[in-house]
Amino acid sequence: TKDIAKIEPDYVRSFQFENKLLPLTWVVVRIDGCHFHRFSDVHEFEKPNDEQALKLMNSCAVAVLKEFEDVHFAYGVSDEYSFVLQKESELYKRQSSKIISAIASFFTSTYVMKWGDFFPQKELKYSPSFDGRAVCYPTYKILLDYLAWRQVDCHINNQYNTCFWMLVKSGKTKTQSQDYLKGTQTREKNELLSRQFGIEYNSLPLIFRMGSSVFRLKEAVAVENRVVSGKKLKGEVVVDHCNIIEHSFWEEHPHILS
Ligand code: ATP
Ligand code: ATP
Ligand code: MG
Ligand code: MG
Ligand code: MG
Ligand code: MG
């Protein structure tokens, strides 16, 4: 048998490669549900938007902000969430695999733990999982562009899905509905909803149209009477459905990221 004492730890470790995220950049960890098309089918999510499922996602994101102080902002839509770390973060010495795996696994286990709070009548049929990736954004402007891109995606998908499911619910097959919508512009989709189904797109709930943003209130607001063993807790974590494409949101909340 092999003499274990002869294995040099440095030699074994030398196979691990460095995976440090660029210093002083905003790190965005985006997690996304694995095969949630199927997961949402099996668990009979309402289409196009199951509000309880979105609220469960939001609740998990709030838990992430409470667990990881360096996460200053999160934006979520559908089965995905983007978590933004402040640029000075030294979480796990900025090793990407550790940061991604810690956030994704914490989010996933929280999702399972809280399932019953949001779906008291529905059994969780199997273990969901989320994949994750990390991207560094070197400037504040590019970071805001990233977040705007996710919200634009939310708009486009939600509008398409709202039309698609209205057509399906009105008796068309999925293929017919797809063909019907092929090549249509935003305005045409809004007209379809309004003329055929009497739905004003802009009156649909904000949580569907805007996605969800999670952040801490400015510390000064929340710090009062929140003293735990002499240590001040950071501001209260809130969920909002604001327009983060418009720069006015960021100008009004400079404490979040800049
Ligand atoms: P992948 O593993 O590649 O991410 P996926 O099946 O998860 O595959 P996505 O592009 O991530 O594909 O899309 C997620 C899908 O999950 C949506 O298309 C939608 O069908 C479903 N879904 C997620 N959240 C909800 C929700 N709140 N209400 C209804 N359906 C949802
Ligand atoms: P880190 O977050 O850095 O991994 P850690 O507290 O998880 O910190 P580890 O070096 O991973 O530290 O060690 C795991 C610790 O968990 C062990 O030191 C032991 O105290 C405890 N532990 C794990 N599994 C068992 C087990 N089966 N029985 C008893 N204790 C366990
Ligand atoms: Mg994916
Ligand atoms: Mg997915
Ligand atoms: Mg997705
Ligand atoms: Mg450990």
Side-chain angles (χ1 to χ4, degrees):
T1 57
K2 202 162 163 43
D3 187 355
I4 293 171
K6 277 186 189 155
I7 299 172
E8 289 277 347
D10 285 349
Y11 155 73
V12 185
R13 263 193 221 109
S14 71
F15 286 84
Q16 293 182 30
F17 65 96
E18 275 288 323
N19 62 68
K20 297 222 175 170
L21 295 158
L22 196 66
L24 295 176
T25 56
W26 284 274
V27 173
V28 176
V29 175
R30 183 167 79 248
I31 59 156
D32 185 285
C34 300
H35 315 296
F36 259 49
H37 191 78
R38 170 164 177 259
F39 185 85
S40 62
D41 270 352
V42 169
H43 295 91
E44 297 172 327
F45 282 10
E46 268 172 45
K47 293 291 178 179
N49 291 297
D50 189 296
E51 192 164 353
Q52 284 305 107
L54 294 174
K55 285 181 172 166
L56 170 56
M57 291 288 290
N58 293 349
S59 174
C60 297
V62 168
V64 168
L65 264 82
K66 288 180 176 168
E67 179 74 13
F68 299 92
E69 283 212 354
D70 284 354
V71 176
H72 280 199
F73 185 80
Y75 176 74
V77 46
S78 180
D79 67 338
E80 71 167 60
Y81 243 102
S82 297
F83 296 99
V84 186
L85 277 74
Q86 59 146 329
K87 69 178 193 301
E88 292 82 8
S89 177
E90 282 299 328
L91 182 62
Y92 292 115
K93 302 198 179 89
R94 295 181 82 87
Q95 296 175 86
S96 63
S97 59
K98 288 218 175 191
I99 294 172
I100 298 163
S101 58
I103 290 180
S105 73
F106 181 81
F107 188 96
T108 306
S109 60
T110 307
Y111 191 96
V112 172
M113 293 273 290
K114 288 175 180 273
W115 175 268
D117 298 346
F118 291 86
F119 294 109
Q121 318 291 356
K122 274 184 197 176
E123 182 201 356
L124 182 59
K125 300 247 170 71
Y126 64 90
S127 312
S129 55
F130 289 82
D131 62 30
R133 71 193 70 186
V135 179
C136 297
Y137 291 97
T139 69
Y140 188 53
K141 183 192 171 296
I142 300 172
L143 174 67
L144 298 195
D145 284 346
Y146 166 80
L147 292 168
W149 169 56
R150 296 324 300 148
Q151 192 165 49
V152 166
D153 210 57
C154 169
H155 272 299
I156 291 169
N157 289 331
N158 182 56
Q159 204 190 27
Y160 181 90
N161 291 336
T162 305
C163 292
F164 177 82
W165 285 101
M166 285 313 298
L167 291 167
V168 170
K169 286 173 185 173
S170 76
K172 283 194 162 56
T173 66
K174 288 184 179 175
T175 320
Q176 283 171 336
S177 309
Q178 237 168 9
D179 291 345
Y180 194 89
L181 291 171
K182 209 166 270 172
T184 53
Q185 301 296 304
T186 294
R187 197 174 46 79
E188 294 166 88
K189 288 198 194 75
N190 277 349
E191 279 172 12
L192 167 80
L193 286 176
S194 144
R195 285 211 198 119
Q196 251 179 277
F197 304 111
I199 293 175
E200 287 311 317
Y201 182 78
N202 287 326
S203 65
L204 292 175
L206 278 176
I207 185 173
F208 301 160
R209 289 187 290 125
M210 295 290 187
S212 301
S213 295
V214 184
F215 53 91
R216 294 183 188 84
L217 290 178
K218 214 171 160 180
E219 275 180 72
V221 182
V223 154
E224 303 154 37
N225 68 47
R226 280 179 164 266
V227 180
V228 177
S229 59
K231 194 175 146 238
K232 277 179 195 162
L233 285 180
K234 284 260 171 82
E236 195 182 338
V237 179
V238 294
V239 181
D240 202 353
H241 312 292
C242 33
N243 184 331
I244 55 169
I245 298 171
E246 278 171 17
H247 280 194
S248 57
F249 172 79
W250 298 107
E251 282 154 16
E252 285 160 22
H253 299 82
H255 71 283
I256 296 177
L257 286 173
S258 64

